[in-house]
Amino acid sequence: MISELEFVNILVDKYGPIVSGDDLVESLGYKSPNAFRQAKHQGTVPIKIFKIENRRGYHALVMDVANWLLSQK
């Protein structure tokens, strides 16, 4: 079994400090981008997401994703 720190490091190595697009949708467990859009519209995305100027879509900090995933176990 891996430690929480190792888990965070695995995600940071895979995605870098920010995750977006299909990787964000998948990492939060949504079945499709449309399901993510619906959750965003309803305000039920479980972490803080944000837009970056001159970039498409929404982004999240990998640390926020990791912490949320760890809190779900």
Side-chain angles (χ1 to χ4, degrees):
M1 188 142 146
I2 64 171
S3 72
E4 292 180 6
L5 181 58
E6 288 172 320
F7 178 68
V8 170
N9 286 333
I10 289 168
L11 291 181
V12 170
D13 287 345
K14 182 173 183 177
Y15 300 117
I18 295 174
V19 63
S20 59
D22 289 338
D23 292 331
L24 177 59
V25 171
E26 182 181 330
S27 65
L28 293 176
Y30 291 104
K31 294 196 185 262
S32 68
N34 191 46
F36 175 76
R37 278 191 291 276
Q38 187 173 8
K40 183 177 60 68
H41 179 73
Q42 294 172 347
T44 59
V45 176
I47 62 171
K48 182 176 180 348
I49 57 173
F50 53 91
K51 293 187 86 56
I52 296 176
E53 189 175 346
N54 298 321
R55 298 264 180 112
R56 291 175 139 198
Y58 284 84
H59 311 275
L61 295 177
V62 168
M63 286 297 297
D64 291 344
V65 173
N67 289 333
W68 178 77
L69 287 171
L70 290 168
S71 75
Q72 299 304 302
K73 68 176 189 170

